[in-house]
Each structure stands twice: as C-alpha cells, then as structure tokens.
Amino acid sequence: MARQVLQMHDNVFSNRPASIAITYLTYDRADMAFANYGPFWRQMRKLCVMKLFSRKRAESWASVRDEVDATLPAASDKSGEPLNIGELVINLTKNIIFRAAFGSQGHEDQHEFIGILQEFSKLFGAFNIGDFIPWLSRSWMDMHGINKRLKAARGAVDRFIDKIIDEHLANPKVADAEDADMVNDMLAFLEDSPAGKGGEGGDLQGNLKLTRDNIKAIIMDVMFGGTETVASTIEWAMAELMRNQEDLKRVQQELTDVVGLDRKVQESDLDKLPHFKRAKKENLRLHPPIPLLLHETAQDCEVVGYSIPKKSRVMINVWAIGRDKASWKDAETFWPSRFGPDGECAGVDFRGNYFELLPFGSGRRSCPGLQLGMYALELAMAQLMHCFDRSLPDCEGHVA
Ligand code: HEM
C-alpha cells in the first residue's frame, strides 16, 4: 500500500494536510514542508536543495564537522561520570543547524530559539477542536487557549527571525560566497532587496521572488526538520548498541582498525565502516524519528479497488512497516547483520527504493535533508563510540 501511495499514485498523494496551528505557524503555508504540491513547492524545494542541502554547499557540511568537534569533547571530559547523551546530542544538532542557517551571527540567541521550537512542536501536535468543528476556532471561543499560544509563538518567531534578517540585510554578502549562510542565500531572492537584484537564480526557473514570510517559514522548516530527527536517531543508536554489546564491540573494532586511537574520525573513514553502517540502518528501521508520514490527496482517485476522495488524509505508518513480521525476520530484534553481504536483507537501503524501510519517506515529498542528516548522524555516532566504552546505567536517567 505504501508503494501505491508514494510511488504509483505519488502525483495524487503529494499534498500535505494542515491543521489550524500548522497553517498559522507556517505563515499560511509559505514554507516548503507544508506547501501543497505544485509549482510553488517545486521552486522552494529546488531552492532548498541547491542552496542548503546539496553536497556542494560546503558551509552546511563544515557546520557539521566543526560543531561535532566543538560539542562532543564534552563527552570525554566526563570520563567515568554519568553522561546524558540526549542532552548532549540535541545541543549538538541545534548548534549544527543553527550555524548552517544563520552563520555565526546570533549564536548568543540560540537558547531563546530552542524555547520557540519546543513551543512550536507542542502546538503542532496539540488537539484543537477547531480543526474538527471550524466555527469553534473563532478567536473569542479559544476553549483550550490555543489561539493565544499560537499568537505568542508566532510573535516570538517574528521578533527573532526579523532581527536576523535585518542583520543580514545590513551586512549583505554575495549569495554562494564562501562565508554566506542560508539566510544570505535566500535573501538573494527577497522581493525589493538590493541583494535580490541581478537574477541570481541558477537553475531556478523564472524570477523566483520570496517574501519575508517565505524566508521565515523555510528557516523554521529547516530548524524543525533537522534538529530533533537527527538527535533522537543518535540517541536511539547509542542505546541500541549499548544494549547489544556484541555489535558495539564489532563497531568499535572497526573504528580502531580504520581510524586508530591517535586521531579523530574523518568523513573519509565513514565508508570504510560496514558494520557501523548496518547498525545505523537497523536503528533507523526500529526507530524512525518521523513515524507517521502525513499526505493528502489532490483529487479523487482509486487505489487497489478503493475509491479515495479528494482531500483525504493519508498516514503512512513507517514505524509499523519497519517492524512488520511479514517483511522482517525477528522484526523486533536489533540485528544489524541482517543487512550484511550474507544477510537476508543485503542490499536493502533506506533511500526510498524499498518500501519495507522508509525512514526518509519516498517519492516527491521524501526528505531533502537526507545527505546532510546522514553525515551529522554518522560523524556524531562514530565520534561518540570511538575511544570510549559506554554502558547503560543501572537506574533510569543517565547513560554512563
Ligand atoms: C535522521 C535524519 C532525518 C530523517 C530520518 C528525516 C525524515 C524525514 C521524513 C520521513 C520526511 C517526510 C517524508 C514524507 O512525507 O514522505 C521528511 C521531510 C523533510 N525533512 Fe527530513 N529527516 C531527517 C533529517 C532532516 C534534516 C537534517 C533536514 C534539514 C536540515 C530535514 C528537512 C526536511 C524537510 C524540509 C522536509 C519536508 C520536505 C517536503 O515536504 O517536501 N530533514 N524528513
């Protein structure tokens, strides 16, 4: 069924459903993640892929390297003491994405921004009766106080990102310059901006113009899409490996053989660590950070004999698919060797070609941050396991 929705009928199922909170917080869907499929989304996606996620955008990759080097040594300072991996890695991914998005400007405001993200997260998931009975969403009703919180949250984002945009406008940099960040790159497309003149568009068709709201909404997409997904995946991977000591030892032996004990893990090492890669894949099978993919139909259609009306919401349960006993032997067991050359799942990848394993989705709306996310995930995981023996605590709470 996932193949039917994400591949065979991808063109019909590529819209996103949006609640009142999502619509309001994304400036009326001025972003990419919640825009409906169509020319606007296509242009935005191309812009993000070219300017942020592409391997050619060296600054995004440098952010990962530098922040892993800056943040993870804290783990070594705590040798012999309890270490809260969850806190460490959310801090790391926040720093990476913050730097890729805003450059070094505004680093001191990061703490405030995390508070905003957390409130957005809660509001996105909050039950709002107005989504089901629209007349109850009028502002004077506001039965659960959601409208008030939505206004406060968007006000906070406005203040925060407007300041950053103004700073960037006051110190313009040529888009694509070595020290340009994501905001510089996007300002080249801002309507009425001096930076926007000159048709800097590369492969982008026509004269793409962005409003401030577009830019703010895309920044939020990237902050949301890239922070918790990567952090929770690293945390799960560490927990699984600590629970499965044999696999942990194998991964550590690989690291010792390839990297040795006298230097840090580098990007060029990562492809020489096959069991490490299998463990990462197995972890994504069991713990996809986005367990439900939310799609909506753009028109009436028929799928395997069922009539699906226009604007139907479809949720693809990636978590359940990854644990389906019909597709996976010992589905609940963490068993990286299943992906080895002699394993039953040799060759299965997570890039959207195998519908049994969909942590990044598949098709048009699949994750554009896959490469960047994988790089951050692999480098951080490898660094955390290299040179250290860790074990789970006896009691709940910290991992030592
Ligand atoms: C472990 C890392 C990550 C995982 C597992 C992941 C997973 C996903 C999934 C499942 C989707 C939805 C696919 C669908 O609806 O069919 C998605 C979309 C998206 N992701 Fe990721 N993601 C990760 C990292 C990132 C990073 C690092 C960024 C940005 C820096 C990012 C940005 C986005 C955006 C903007 C979308 C919306 C795309 C669209 O609607 O066209 N993700 N991601």
Side-chain angles (χ1 to χ4, degrees):
M1 192 54 96
R3 183 190 296 278
Q4 290 284 331
V5 168
L6 296 174
Q7 190 178 56
M8 319 283 270
H9 299 278
D10 190 16
N11 57 334
V12 177
F13 283 90
S14 283
N15 279 356
R16 290 260 191 239
S19 60
I20 292 171
I22 287 175
T23 307
Y24 186 75
L25 294 177
T26 56
Y27 300 84
D28 207 6
R29 306 173 81 170
D31 66 332
M32 182 211 347
F34 291 100
N36 274 333
Y37 177 69
F40 170 74
W41 169 83
R42 245 194 314 272
Q43 288 281 69
M44 296 286 262
R45 176 127 176 160
K46 206 179 255 180
L47 173 75
C48 286
V49 169
M50 280 168 51
K51 300 291 179 189
L52 307 172
F53 303 125
S54 120
R55 190 64 187 82
K56 285 188 205 136
R57 194 174 186 287
E59 181 58 24
S60 302
W61 260 253
S63 313
V64 174
R65 246 184 342 262
D66 295 350
E67 295 300 333
V68 166
D69 284 351
T71 312
L72 295 191
S76 58
D77 296 345
K78 295 212 163 191
S79 178
E81 286 175 49
L83 175 69
N84 188 326
I85 300 254
E87 250 171 42
L88 184 80
V89 294
I90 193 76
N91 212 24
L92 168 70
T93 55
K94 172 200 81 186
N95 289 349
I96 291 173
I97 300 291
F98 203 95
R99 210 189 111 183
F102 306 134
S104 52
Q105 291 159 310
H107 241 265
E108 69 277 10
D109 297 328
Q110 281 190 43
H111 207 66
E112 181 193 349
F113 200 69
I114 292 306
I116 297 174
L117 280 183
Q118 283 167 344
E119 175 66 350
F120 263 50
S121 248
K122 285 185 200 147
L123 286 166
F124 274 171
F127 174 76
N128 184 354
I129 193 150
D131 283 323
F132 304 95
I133 310 174
W135 62 269
L136 285 179
S137 68
R138 296 198 188 117
S139 53
W140 55 270
M141 301 281 286
D142 202 12
M143 289 161 73
H144 302 109
I146 296 251
N147 293 347
K148 204 167 144 207
R149 281 173 63 195
L150 286 174
K151 277 205 181 105
R154 209 174 82 175
V157 166
D158 279 333
R159 282 190 299 281
F160 183 84
I161 305 187
D162 273 333
K163 191 172 141 209
I164 289 175
I165 292 179
D166 289 339
E167 280 168 8
H168 279 74
L169 283 171
N171 300 297
K173 285 190 183 128
V174 178
D176 293 335
E178 222 169 77
D179 57 347
D181 58 35
M182 166 181 154
V183 179
N184 296 123
D185 281 353
M186 285 199 297
L187 284 178
F189 298 91
L190 180 67
E191 275 173 331
D192 303 327
S193 141
K197 303 280 184 286
E200 197 279 337
D203 283 349
L204 292 159
Q205 295 144 14
N207 289 320
L208 175 65
K209 288 288 172 209
L210 299 178
T211 62
R212 246 181 198 253
D213 283 356
N214 292 134
I215 294 179
K216 285 194 262 190
I218 298 178
I219 289 173
M220 289 309 290
D221 277 359
V222 172
M223 296 301 297
F224 262 120
T227 310
E228 242 184 79
T229 46
V230 180
S232 74
T233 308
I234 300 172
E235 196 178 354
W236 270 116
M238 295 298 294
E240 285 291 8
L241 280 165
M242 279 183 269
R243 283 199 313 189
N244 294 277
Q245 287 288 318
E246 225 174 86
D247 288 296
L248 177 63
K249 293 265 168 304
R250 227 175 130 183
V251 167
Q252 286 181 318
Q253 190 56 52
E254 273 184 358
L255 284 161
T256 308
D257 294 345
V258 173
V259 184
L261 299 175
D262 302 325
R263 65 170 177 88
K264 279 186 283 197
V265 184
Q266 287 163 5
E267 186 181 356
S268 55
D269 298 318
L270 297 172
D271 280 340
K272 300 173 196 151
L273 305 168
H275 201 69
F276 169 80
K277 296 254 181 185
R278 285 174 215 139
K280 177 197 71 179
K281 202 187 277 188
E282 179 69 338
N283 179 57
L284 281 165
R285 176 182 76 81
L286 287 169
H287 308 289
I290 302 185
L292 295 175
L293 309 184
L294 304 178
H295 289 236
E296 191 180 270
T297 48
Q299 61 194 61
D300 296 347
C301 68
E302 200 182 300
V303 177
V304 288
Y306 295 101
S307 297
I308 318 258
K310 181 178 170 173
K311 286 187 88 59
S312 297
R313 290 181 177 194
V314 178
M315 286 188 224
I316 295 151
N317 192 336
V318 168
W319 185 89
I321 291 174
R323 290 166 184 248
D324 181 9
K325 291 187 174 50
S327 307
W328 302 97
K329 189 176 163 198
D330 292 334
E332 297 289 333
T333 308
F334 181 80
W335 179 27
S337 299
R338 71 173 83 238
F339 295 110
D342 304 323
E344 330 212 315
C345 308
V348 171
D349 74 37
F350 49 66
R351 289 169 191 274
N353 306 312
Y354 293 85
F355 288 83
E356 298 84 10
L357 187 60
L358 293 170
F360 294 93
S362 176
R364 290 170 166 84
R365 299 306 292 243
S366 63
C367 179
L370 187 152
Q371 257 194 311
L372 186 61
M374 275 307 93
Y375 179 45
L377 174 67
E378 290 184 359
L379 205 60
M381 259 176 79
Q383 211 86 283
L384 278 168
M385 279 182 289
H386 184 218
C387 304
F388 288 100
D389 286 324
R390 299 182 194 283
S391 59
L392 289 165
D394 295 334
C395 56
E396 280 180 26
H398 296 97
V399 170

